[in-house]
Amino acid sequence: DSIALNTKAKVLSFDQQDGRLLVHYSEGLVTLLREARQLCALGCKIPKEVEKEVNLAHQFYNNAMKLKQVANFYNKIADEILPCQSGMLLEDANAFEKVVKKDHKRTADGKQISWDTPVQLKAYTEELYMAMSRLTRRNKVLRKVHDQVSDIVVRLMDTDLVRQREKWKDGIMDIRKLIGDVESGKYFGRESEGATNTRAWRVHWDYQLFKALEYQYRLGLESCHETLPQIKAKLVFKNKKLLFEPSYEELRADYYKGLKKFISFPSSFTGVGESDIFKTISDRNADGLIVVFSQAEKLFKKLQDTLDKYSPWVALGTIDIDDCVELNLKEVDDWDANFRVLKTRRRDVDKLPSEEKVDCITVDTQLVKSAAEDLLKQFSDALVASLRKSAQTEIDELEEFVKESLEALSSMPQTVE
């Protein structure tokens, strides 16, 4: 009978070819039990020989199922445990394998444990099952924490390294805490014994962090002139000069300070395993650094262009307006043309933006707009005063002419001529 249970045979053995752990409890016996139950439920009579085998198979069924579960786990353990976590489970795996392989499959009188030694078989099965359960529980915990770390790294892959550097630091702190909790045994419940040999696991995550960091670093090199922390500046008109506050030189120094902080970030980044691999990121992206400095010079060229754009609006502040008006306005058409220009300029100054965005530098133009409005008012006042003065001069000249003419007409002629 090919499916009959040999109660004298070994309970477990190893396949000589592939080393798999085998349980000597045929799948045919499982089928036999199922079909026997179905036949009994239908009221069919089972032959005594078959009934005997059914009863024998049923007697050891629970132990056999546990042993099959243990054997299945043993044969697939390499697939269940992540390579980077194998060192952390080495002690538990060795303890499990020791129970499987040790010479414990014998009774007190030296006989081999078999199906017909039920007390010893049950004790041995429970010992195996407990060792497997411990290893399984600890592996599930480590896999769960591994997935949590994975979620953090994936999130960092989409976290801007220029603008959200603090989130990177927070992410690394979260990963370190998770690993520290694993080492302390926090996640193992009553099994307070923490995991050791986490070095390979830390190195694994350092290499994943390396990929995420380099990806964001490359993106940052392409766009850091726009994404560096915002620098605030004002455009002001002082001492007849249009200036930046802080000064152009100070803005340049602040920008390069932030740029240097970003560029050097990988050099000070240590990941979760105090690794040096991150220091190579800057060298690996040397071409990108050339682009960064080229973009920086373009940025400050645009900043200078912004200053030049507003210079005409305060040009009146660099001269003596009254003298200029008096010197250049002679005819009525001169005043008419300048009043027309003044009206247009007043309308245009209202359209000027309150700030200018030059990549990562925001320039407040409110003060220069106010200065331009004040200068236009001064110019208007100068035009009115000049026009009034010119008109008064002409009136005075006219009155003098009339006076002289009347005097000439009122005098008595002394001669015929």
Side-chain angles (χ1 to χ4, degrees):
D1 191 350
S2 61
I3 66 170
L5 181 65
N6 183 358
T7 59
K8 302 294 184 183
K10 291 181 179 181
V11 176
L12 300 173
S13 67
F14 289 96
D15 190 300
Q16 297 300 315
Q17 293 183 344
D18 58 17
R20 293 171 61 81
L21 184 62
L22 304 175
V23 180
H24 296 289
Y25 188 93
S26 171
E27 286 297 323
L29 288 173
V30 178
T31 303
L32 177 64
L33 284 172
R34 183 172 61 252
E35 291 179 350
R37 283 196 298 270
Q38 292 172 349
L39 289 171
C40 288
L42 294 172
C44 299
K45 187 174 179 62
I46 300 175
K48 288 186 178 181
E49 296 82 0
V50 176
E51 186 177 8
K52 179 181 177 183
E53 291 299 329
V54 168
N55 291 336
L56 188 62
H58 186 267
Q59 180 182 350
F60 300 108
Y61 179 79
N62 289 337
N63 279 338
M65 292 303 100
K66 283 188 175 182
L67 288 172
K68 280 182 175 291
Q69 189 177 352
V70 169
N72 186 58
F73 177 76
Y74 180 88
N75 294 333
K76 293 183 178 181
I77 192 170
D79 299 327
E80 295 293 328
I81 298 175
L82 295 173
C84 62
Q85 291 184 331
S86 59
M88 301 160 65
L89 291 166
L90 184 60
E91 186 176 337
D92 297 301
N94 286 339
F96 172 63
E97 190 170 26
K98 186 177 180 181
V99 176
V100 173
K101 292 184 176 180
K102 73 178 183 177
D103 191 23
H104 188 240
K105 293 174 285 185
R106 294 186 178 276
T107 62
D109 58 4
K111 294 182 179 180
Q112 177 180 273
I113 293 177
S114 58
W115 297 106
D116 61 359
T117 57
V119 176
Q120 291 82 3
L121 176 60
K122 183 178 180 181
Y124 178 60
T125 301
E126 291 299 325
E127 186 179 6
L128 272 174
Y129 197 78
M130 286 178 63
M132 179 200 72
S133 297
R134 174 183 168 83
L135 180 55
T136 301
R137 284 194 302 273
R138 292 175 72 85
N139 185 49
K140 284 183 178 179
V141 167
L142 292 180
R143 289 292 290 263
K144 182 179 179 181
V145 178
H146 188 84
D147 290 341
Q148 290 176 330
V149 175
S150 178
D151 291 341
I152 295 173
V153 174
V154 170
R155 190 167 67 245
L156 290 178
M157 181 71 81
D158 292 325
T159 301
D160 192 317
L161 189 60
V162 182
R163 290 179 175 173
Q164 300 174 304
R165 209 168 306 152
E166 288 304 315
K167 287 189 176 182
W168 267 84
K169 294 178 180 179
D170 292 342
I172 299 304
M173 291 301 295
D174 290 342
I175 295 174
R176 287 178 176 172
K177 185 178 185 304
L178 287 170
I179 295 176
D181 288 343
V182 166
E183 292 173 332
S184 69
K186 176 180 178 180
Y187 298 114
F188 297 116
R190 288 173 297 177
E191 300 168 7
S192 58
E193 195 177 324
T196 56
N197 300 322
T198 59
R199 176 63 184 166
W201 194 34
R202 288 176 179 271
V203 169
H204 168 80
W205 283 119
D206 273 349
Y207 276 95
Q208 307 316 307
L209 286 169
F210 180 94
K211 298 171 188 176
L213 182 64
E214 185 172 43
Y215 172 73
Q216 280 297 331
Y217 189 73
R218 287 177 176 174
L219 290 182
L221 290 177
E222 295 172 2
S223 62
C224 62
H225 60 293
E226 298 175 340
T227 56
L228 277 174
Q230 283 294 303
I231 299 174
K232 299 289 186 179
K234 293 180 180 180
L235 200 56
V236 297
F237 185 65
K238 285 184 178 180
N239 301 321
K240 297 186 176 183
K241 289 183 179 180
L242 188 60
L243 306 167
F244 286 112
E245 280 190 355
S247 69
Y248 184 87
E249 292 73 19
E250 289 174 315
L251 290 173
R252 191 179 185 90
D254 285 346
Y255 177 83
Y256 276 101
K257 181 180 178 181
L259 190 60
K260 181 181 178 182
K261 197 172 182 181
F262 165 69
I263 291 173
S264 62
F265 183 72
S267 300
S268 59
F269 190 83
T270 56
V272 295
E274 304 302 321
S275 176
D276 291 335
I277 60 172
F278 303 100
K279 294 180 179 179
T280 64
I281 289 179
S282 296
D283 292 337
R284 286 164 55 93
N285 294 275
D287 291 344
L289 295 177
I290 297 173
V291 175
V292 165
F293 289 105
S294 173
Q295 290 171 334
E297 292 308 308
K298 290 179 181 178
L299 183 153
F300 284 98
K301 173 62 169 61
K302 287 190 285 185
L303 194 64
Q304 181 61 49
D305 291 343
T306 301
L307 187 143
D308 295 340
K309 170 184 173 181
Y310 283 86
S311 292
W313 288 100
V314 291
L316 287 172
T318 62
I319 61 174
D320 188 310
I321 297 176
D322 293 329
D323 289 346
C324 180
V325 169
E326 186 172 352
L327 180 65
N328 292 282
L329 274 64
K330 303 297 182 182
E331 304 296 331
V332 173
D333 289 344
D334 295 336
W335 277 281
D336 181 63
N338 276 277
F339 275 118
R340 290 178 183 277
V341 170
L342 178 63
K343 183 178 179 180
T344 302
R345 295 293 279 179
R346 277 179 165 168
R347 187 169 55 247
D348 291 344
V349 78
D350 289 334
K351 297 178 182 178
L352 291 175
S354 58
E355 65 177 29
E356 294 279 353
K357 193 86 164 63
V358 184
D359 292 339
C360 67
I361 300 177
T362 302
V363 182
D364 187 335
T365 61
Q366 295 277 24
L367 294 176
V368 76
K369 280 184 65 177
S370 297
E373 290 170 351
D374 290 342
L375 289 170
L376 289 175
K377 185 177 184 306
Q378 292 177 36
F379 182 58
S380 175
D381 293 343
L383 285 178
V384 171
S386 174
L387 180 58
R388 184 179 291 116
K389 182 180 178 181
S390 177
Q392 187 62 49
T393 300
E394 290 191 5
I395 290 172
D396 291 344
E397 290 177 353
L398 180 59
E399 288 178 345
E400 183 64 27
F401 173 76
V402 171
K403 180 181 177 182
E404 290 178 356
S405 298
L406 289 173
E407 288 177 354
L409 290 172
S410 62
S411 63
M412 294 296 293
Q414 301 295 325
T415 64
V416 175
E417 288 89 1

